[in-house]
Amino acid sequence: MSILKKVEQFREEEERLRWEGTFADYLELLKEKPWIAQTAHSRVYNMIKDAGVEEVNGKKEYSFFKDQLYGVEESLEKLVEEYFHSAAKRLDVRKRILLLMGPVSGGKSTLVTMLKRGLEQYSKTDKGAVFAIKGCPMHEDPLHLIPTHLRKDFQDEYGIKIEGNLSPLNMMRVEEEYGGRIEDVLVERIFFSEDKRTGIGTFSPSDPKSQDIADLTGSIDFSTIAEYGSESDPRAYRFDGELNKANRGMMEFQEMLKCDEKFLWHLLSLTQEGNFKAGRFALISADELIVAHTNESEYKSFISNKKNEALHSRIIVMKVPYNLKVSEEERIYKKMIQDSDLAHVHIAPHALKVAAIFTILTRLKEPAKQGVDLLKKMRLYDGESVEGFNSQDLEELKQEDPDEGMSGIDPRYVINRISSAIIRKQLTSINALDVLRSIKEGLSEHASISKEDRERYMDFIAVARKEYDAIAKKEVQKAFVYSYDESAKTLMDNYLDNVEAYCNKNKLRDPLTGEEMTPDEKLMRSIEEQIGISENAKKAFREEILIRISAYARKGKKFDYNSHERLREAIQKKLFADLKDIVKITTSTKTPDESQLKKVNEVIARLIDEHGYNSVSANELLRYVGSLLNR
């Protein structure tokens, strides 16, 4: 379908959604669809909830944020449940400014942008429909037309609570245009749009000496004073400030804590009482979500100033830390690369993972828990199983330092270093070593990194390099194994037969001779030693395997090569250990013979077809692993 046809369809859809009628018609509509009278906070919460909520390991994950924000599920759950859900229930938190606090490139702006774009789309749905008094520059709630003394009766009849008073402009219009007959006042459906300044506003402070409070609350239109005779006539006032235009939706307050005090005091009344002062009028009601964002140092400076105590008590702070999961960090890099001009460059497998390992290490705090180092902590955070530790240990680690994730290397720095390596060296393929080298070179140029942190980060690059060495060896050794899955399955079946006989104190029968044999202790230990199972721990490990097999059988599931992560790792290492000498000779020979060359070509083909390499990165990987094995 052509783009012009799609534009036409979009226009037709918007026209179909339009609605206009009298206030009396609106009340009839309200009986059918009472949810259209929801508050701004309620609308945001329902927008997030309606997109889908999934419970994973006891934690809520929201589809609304799924493809944009990674690794901050716990922060998002706290934000949605503790702020939006409570505010939607009209609890006191809705009378607070939402302040997102976190490090640079941590996702604060992305989160706010998602809420704004989401509201624009949600206002076009049936559940997110918004109705306003027609011709009102503030898109005022039609229910404000109900006189105060009748609101209790209205609540009894409709089950809807009305908050806020009719604005000065609409009060005058009701009298002059409609002769006081509120039932005849025209109401229309509106659609939120930041570009059209409908229900979504953005305020960004500029020079405090030149910025006018009118940017927030509107201003007098001096050209009309002669016509209307007074500055207190609402027709002589432009209700075009960000607070006016964001009514019924949300306003983003950029760099709020850098703003002049006179701007911030206007927010006190708005948050606590739901109104603000503008011109020579009574307080003007507004129903909107105020979202601001800042970094930790600015926030600490703000709360240390005693003059800000009143505003501080009206702010609810939600931390948006860096992601602390390697796998999620890798997804962040992939997304940033896809959105950039680097999408055509071949990035070798594990290059982004190794960069993510380095980055996550810079964000983690040294664990206080005995027996845990940073690498183990990193693996536990990423959902990997670490011997001797369970989910309870993971929760304890997370509770150790509330500021974890508020510092470290940001994802933008890593992408900048990848870009630098590609552009400077004119590369069309980049591997993990290229990425680590570029990150290392950039640290000396990073102005905001202290000497102490720089030295620490250099150590993390060395750790990430060791992790890559292990990954690279495993990748090549895996590619060398002919019919890898079949070999692994055969070895595992053999091991399981011996374990079952050992645990049940039975004998095995030789498939060829039919003779009875004792379980092959040498075979079992050769596999178990690959993952550090000690002589004392072997019995418990074997019994655990047998229990797992029984559990699978009860559920009617087949226990296979991927059913036990640690056993799979042991089988892999055993296979690789048996092939190490073949790999070493084949990858390091400068003039390979015909059989060796054939093997190398088979491995390269497998790396390309099954592991995501291209010919350049596959050859680089083989050369590198050859050098590692010859050290």
Side-chain angles (χ1 to χ4, degrees):
M1 190 187 296
S2 73
I3 191 66
L4 290 178
K5 187 68 178 171
K6 288 180 180 178
V7 169
E8 185 183 345
Q9 278 190 354
F10 174 77
R11 198 164 51 237
E12 287 171 357
E13 179 62 15
E14 279 215 324
E15 197 57 43
R16 186 186 67 79
L17 291 173
R18 291 192 191 283
W19 183 93
E20 186 179 309
T22 63
F23 183 57
D25 297 330
Y26 175 70
L27 291 181
E28 288 301 314
L29 187 64
L30 211 54
K31 284 180 180 176
E32 293 175 42
K33 304 175 179 180
W35 62 81
I36 61 178
Q38 63 189 322
T39 63
H41 289 84
S42 175
R43 190 173 291 108
V44 172
Y45 173 68
N46 287 326
M47 169 186 75
I48 295 168
K49 189 175 60 120
D50 290 348
V53 185
E54 191 180 346
E55 197 153 309
V56 181
N57 300 323
K59 305 283 185 185
K60 288 183 178 176
E61 292 187 6
Y62 304 93
S63 301
F64 181 83
F65 302 107
K66 209 162 191 177
D67 296 322
Q68 295 291 327
L69 295 170
Y70 305 112
V72 287
E73 291 81 14
E74 289 178 23
S75 298
L76 291 173
E77 183 178 8
K78 188 176 180 184
L79 172 66
V80 175
E81 294 305 317
E82 292 187 18
Y83 183 77
F84 288 129
H85 193 183
S86 301
K89 298 290 185 186
R90 297 180 189 261
L91 295 174
D92 214 45
V93 294
R94 73 192 176 103
K95 297 177 180 179
R96 305 285 182 273
I97 297 164
L98 175 61
L99 179 64
L100 303 175
M101 181 179 71
V104 61
S105 296
K108 303 184 298 295
S109 298
T110 301
L111 200 159
V112 175
T113 301
M114 287 185 76
L115 292 174
K116 291 197 286 190
R117 297 294 85 82
L119 279 173
E120 288 178 342
Q121 293 305 312
Y122 195 59
S123 68
K124 293 174 183 174
T125 67
D126 189 48
K127 286 193 173 180
V130 190
F131 294 82
I133 295 172
K134 187 175 182 182
C136 173
M138 283 184 60
H139 340 291
E140 188 164 9
D141 187 345
L143 293 183
H144 287 182
L145 291 163
I146 302 285
T148 308
H149 66 279
L150 293 177
R151 290 184 178 183
K152 178 69 172 63
D153 296 338
F154 178 84
Q155 188 171 350
D156 292 341
E157 184 179 347
Y158 285 83
I160 297 167
K161 185 178 180 180
I162 302 173
E163 292 179 337
N165 298 312
L166 200 61
S167 67
L169 179 62
N170 285 323
M171 204 177 288
M172 177 178 280
R173 289 179 63 207
V174 168
E175 293 303 321
E176 295 197 357
E177 294 178 29
Y178 298 100
R181 291 176 56 83
I182 62 167
E183 61 269 37
D184 293 339
V185 174
L186 289 177
V187 174
E188 64 178 349
R189 182 173 179 179
I190 61 168
F191 305 105
F192 287 162
S193 168
E194 185 175 18
D195 293 339
K196 295 176 181 177
R197 301 187 75 213
T198 305
I200 297 176
T202 303
F203 181 78
S204 183
S206 57
D207 180 5
K209 293 177 183 176
S210 61
Q211 188 148 31
D212 192 345
I213 197 70
D215 295 344
L216 267 183
T217 61
S219 61
I220 297 165
D221 186 352
F222 290 100
S223 66
T224 61
I225 289 176
E227 182 182 350
Y228 297 119
S230 170
E231 290 182 15
S232 60
D233 190 310
R235 292 169 298 181
Y237 195 85
R238 287 196 294 255
F239 294 89
D240 60 356
E242 292 304 321
L243 291 178
N244 307 105
K245 293 298 182 182
N247 186 34
R248 312 295 301 287
M250 68 174 280
M251 187 188 86
E252 177 187 7
F253 208 130
Q254 295 178 346
E255 304 295 347
M256 187 183 85
L257 303 186
K258 290 178 180 173
C259 208
D260 190 79
E261 286 175 30
K262 66 181 180 181
F263 289 88
L264 299 181
W265 296 127
H266 272 276
L267 302 180
L268 290 176
S269 174
L270 178 62
T271 52
Q272 193 62 38
E273 308 298 336
N275 50 46
F276 62 91
K277 182 70 176 163
R280 297 180 181 179
F281 308 117
L283 291 168
I284 296 174
S285 296
D287 171 32
E288 56 196 90
L289 162 68
I290 307 289
V291 186
H293 40 91
T294 188
N295 59 48
E296 197 169 14
S297 60
E298 277 183 1
Y299 178 69
K300 285 178 177 175
S301 173
F302 172 76
I303 59 173
S304 65
N305 187 341
K306 294 289 183 185
K307 289 194 294 185
N308 295 326
E309 281 182 358
L311 188 62
H312 180 223
S313 67
R314 288 174 172 81
I315 290 174
I316 188 162
V317 180
M318 286 287 172
K319 287 185 178 180
V320 184
Y322 283 134
N323 155 60
L324 296 175
K325 296 178 182 176
V326 170
S327 55
E328 295 296 303
E329 189 72 10
E330 199 177 350
R331 289 180 70 196
I332 292 170
Y333 299 156
K334 283 177 180 174
K335 181 181 181 299
M336 292 174 82
I337 286 167
Q338 285 167 0
D339 293 344
S340 72
D341 293 335
L342 303 178
H344 67 286
V345 176
H346 171 75
I347 296 175
H350 312 298
L352 298 182
K353 180 176 182 176
V354 172
I357 288 170
F358 161 75
T359 309
I360 298 301
L361 288 172
T362 69
R363 297 172 185 171
L364 295 177
K365 302 289 185 182
E366 282 290 343
K369 193 173 181 67
Q370 196 171 2
V372 184
D373 58 19
L374 274 181
L375 268 176
K376 282 181 181 175
K377 187 177 187 180
M378 179 191 80
R379 291 193 171 102
L380 283 166
Y381 275 19
D382 204 32
E384 292 183 41
S385 59
V386 176
E387 188 179 0
F389 297 96
N390 55 33
S391 57
Q392 182 59 41
D393 296 308
L394 176 60
E395 290 306 312
E396 285 177 19
L397 284 169
K398 288 179 178 178
Q399 300 304 318
E400 280 184 356
D401 195 326
D403 287 334
E404 189 168 55
M406 297 298 282
S407 61
I409 292 291
D410 65 279
R412 205 169 285 150
Y413 169 79
V414 173
I415 297 301
N416 289 345
R417 295 315 303 163
I418 292 173
S419 306
S420 176
I422 290 167
I423 293 163
R424 191 171 70 248
K425 297 179 181 177
Q426 298 294 304
L427 299 174
T428 55
S429 176
I430 195 165
N431 61 37
L433 296 177
D434 295 322
V435 172
L436 284 179
R437 200 177 299 116
S438 186
I439 289 172
K440 185 178 180 180
E441 289 168 1
L443 289 177
S444 58
E445 303 162 11
H446 204 304
S448 63
I449 297 177
S450 66
K451 185 182 177 183
E452 184 185 26
D453 280 343
R454 191 173 290 115
E455 288 171 2
R456 201 162 54 91
Y457 292 172
M458 287 295 186
D459 291 340
F460 292 149
I461 286 176
V463 173
R465 170 76 177 267
K466 282 182 184 174
E467 288 292 296
Y468 176 63
D469 289 353
I471 292 168
K473 280 191 249 184
K474 186 182 283 190
E475 192 93 311
V476 169
Q477 288 167 337
K478 191 188 289 184
F480 260 87
V481 179
Y482 182 72
S483 300
Y484 175 73
D485 288 336
E486 288 80 358
S487 304
K489 184 179 181 301
T490 302
L491 183 57
M492 191 190 78
D493 287 345
N494 199 356
Y495 172 78
L496 292 177
D497 287 342
N498 281 276
V499 163
E500 195 170 353
Y502 169 86
C503 292
N504 295 328
K505 296 183 172 55
N506 292 334
K507 299 235 179 211
L508 288 166
R509 192 171 293 281
D510 189 304
L512 295 176
T513 64
E515 292 178 39
E516 285 193 333
M517 306 178 299
T518 56
D520 190 341
E521 185 66 22
K522 188 177 177 183
L523 170 74
M524 289 188 285
R525 292 303 293 139
S526 71
I527 291 170
E528 290 157 359
E529 283 169 353
Q530 300 294 331
I531 52 171
I533 302 294
S534 66
E535 185 71 25
N536 292 333
K538 70 180 185 183
K539 186 172 184 291
F541 181 74
R542 292 169 189 177
E543 287 172 347
E544 182 204 324
I545 296 287
L546 211 60
I547 290 167
R548 182 75 65 90
I549 292 171
S550 300
Y552 268 62
R554 281 198 309 274
K555 294 174 184 175
K557 291 164 69 178
K558 188 176 184 299
F559 185 91
D560 61 20
Y561 174 64
N562 294 307
S563 299
H564 194 286
E565 193 173 324
R566 296 193 67 224
L567 178 58
R568 183 180 67 207
E569 184 187 350
I571 297 286
Q572 284 181 359
K573 285 186 173 179
K574 171 63 179 161
L575 283 170
F576 296 158
D578 295 344
L579 278 160
K580 185 173 180 178
D581 289 338
I582 300 171
V583 176
K584 184 176 173 181
I585 293 165
T586 312
T587 56
S588 60
T589 305
K590 289 183 180 177
T591 54
D593 61 31
E594 192 176 334
S595 66
Q596 289 170 338
L597 193 61
K598 183 182 177 186
K599 192 69 181 170
V600 167
N601 288 335
E602 281 178 7
V603 170
I604 288 173
R606 198 165 287 123
L607 286 170
I608 293 170
D609 295 341
E610 298 174 19
H611 298 277
Y613 291 83
N614 67 3
S615 59
V616 175
S617 59
N619 275 289
E620 287 172 346
L621 179 72
L622 274 183
R623 284 197 299 273
Y624 181 64
V625 171
S627 70
L628 287 177
L629 294 174
N630 278 295
R631 285 178 191 173

